[in-house]
Amino acid sequence: QSWTVVPDFTHHAHSASLSAVAVNNRYVVTGSRDETIQIYDMKKKIEHGALLQHNGTITCLEFYGTAHLLSGAEDGLICIWNTKRWECLKSIKAHKGHVTSLSIHPSGKLALSVGTDKTLRTWNLVEGRSAFIKNLKQNAHIIKWSPDGERYVTVITNKVDIYKLDTASITGTITTEKRFSSLRFITDSILAIAGDDEIIRFYSCDSQKCLCEFKAHENRIKDIYSFEREGQHVIVTASSDGYIKMWNLDLNKIKDMPSLLCEVNTKARLTCLAVWLDQASEMKENSDKAATSSQANEDEKSSIVRKNKVCWTDKSDKTVKRKRKITPEKQKLEAPLQKKKKKWNSSA
């Protein structure tokens, strides 16, 4: 099986190089050395606006579901954004130095961040405050939760420390010769790691042993992304050589080199990578209009439920949750509109 790559949407919105990128089911956000975060609506293929809260390079961006975005920057701030109105719900002075990386727990209740002040900080996102501070011997530049939220990893230069959530202690360490540039959990226990070279390596979190390594590019790898589609694990790699490559990984044959699905030469010096999946068009391909319509309604309901699991100091979401339990179908739609009307009248 081979895939083809076709350019779909290009936009030059930043005045400096990109330093971070994140996606959810609708938006792509990019952070830059120009201190701005640009928003793109991928369903309409248009630029949606810019967020200007930070001073300094945007270092990390991460969505939680469809309702929230977290951003970190060289100014030491972590900002929590509501993605409906794109307003900053809370701005936290997270680190004395730069925020270098952040990661949100799958539950949405916790986040971890690391910075140039040699600390690893745990954040209570429900209350928007610091929960725990751990001092590190050196500055970590990557932090990442596993998909099940049972463990997390920190990257310090050429070393990956694996922590267990329940004990907050290191259970293993992976070390290579080169500095790590990117890391991705393929499963709860398998890590894909790229260093400042052309090699991708898969490691077991349990044994810390290298399961497979292969040369993926002609120059150093800047970022790795992965996603699952129809039971197929796809690894996407971006390199300083300008190439983006997609690989098919067979988890049952993890020791074998993944097969190349496609590659494209962007003729650009790539710095970061994310994959936006057009789930709506996939649904259209796989079902008729009636089925698509009912599925979309179900998706909308489930996304509202997901959004309301954590309030993150956004009180409006709590209200919607309460109304869902007691109001019939029509009023569910009317209630938020009435609420907005009230708000507009009072502000006028």
Side-chain angles (χ1 to χ4, degrees), residues 24 27 29 39 48 63-70 80-87 89 307 314:
N24 71 0
Y27 295 103
V29 291
I39 311 159
H48 192 72
F63 279 104
Y64 181 72
T66 56
H68 296 94
L69 170 74
L70 263 66
I80 301 171
W81 304 88
N82 172 302
T83 59
K84 284 180 186 174
R85 298 181 293 276
W86 291 107
E87 63 187 12
L89 300 173
K307 285 175 197 172
D314 188 1

Side-chain angles (χ1 to χ4, degrees), residues 70-119:
L70 263 66
S71 62
E74 285 185 349
D75 55 10
L77 296 178
I78 288 177
C79 294
I80 301 171
W81 304 88
N82 172 302
T83 59
K84 284 180 186 174
R85 298 181 293 276
W86 291 107
E87 63 187 12
C88 184
L89 300 173
K90 197 167 183 70
S91 181
I92 304 165
K93 182 61 180 170
H95 291 271
K96 288 174 185 172
H98 305 165
V99 179
T100 51
S101 182
L102 63 84
S103 186
I104 304 166
H105 190 269
S107 68
K109 293 177 181 177
L110 291 174
L112 296 172
S113 68
V114 287
T116 55
D117 55 2
K118 296 181 184 176
T119 63

Side-chain angles (χ1 to χ4, degrees), residues 44-201:
K44 295 180 181 176
K45 300 287 192 299
I46 57 167
E47 186 185 358
H48 192 72
L51 306 176
L52 308 172
Q53 190 81 10
H54 289 286
N55 293 311
T57 298
I58 311 301
T59 53
C60 41
L61 296 164
E62 189 167 324
F63 279 104
Y64 181 72
T66 56
H68 296 94
L69 170 74
L70 263 66
S71 62
E74 285 185 349
D75 55 10
L77 296 178
I78 288 177
C79 294
I80 301 171
W81 304 88
N82 172 302
T83 59
K84 284 180 186 174
R85 298 181 293 276
W86 291 107
E87 63 187 12
C88 184
L89 300 173
K90 197 167 183 70
S91 181
I92 304 165
K93 182 61 180 170
H95 291 271
K96 288 174 185 172
H98 305 165
V99 179
T100 51
S101 182
L102 63 84
S103 186
I104 304 166
H105 190 269
S107 68
K109 293 177 181 177
L110 291 174
L112 296 172
S113 68
V114 287
T116 55
D117 55 2
K118 296 181 184 176
T119 63
L120 188 167
R121 296 177 186 243
T122 306
W123 302 96
N124 179 330
L125 290 178
V126 179
E127 296 175 17
R129 62 174 179 80
S130 175
F132 185 71
I133 300 170
K134 179 181 173 65
N135 291 313
L136 303 171
K137 289 177 182 175
Q138 292 172 277
N139 291 327
H141 63 278
I142 299 173
I143 190 152
K144 195 87 74 177
W145 283 105
S146 63
D148 62 3
E150 293 296 312
R151 59 180 122 204
Y152 56 91
V153 295
T154 61
V155 179
I156 298 170
T157 316
N158 63 334
K159 184 179 73 167
V160 178
D161 286 327
I162 303 161
Y163 290 81
K164 222 171 172 213
L165 172 62
D166 51 8
T167 59
S169 58
I170 297 172
T171 59
T173 299
I174 297 164
T175 311
T176 64
E177 290 179 14
K178 300 274 186 176
R179 181 184 186 272
F180 292 118
S181 56
S182 183
L183 172 149
R184 187 87 184 171
F185 276 94
I186 305 301
T187 68
D188 294 321
S189 59
I190 297 175
L191 278 171
I193 295 171
D196 273 355
D197 57 15
E198 311 88 39
I199 312 293
I200 298 280
R201 296 174 177 88

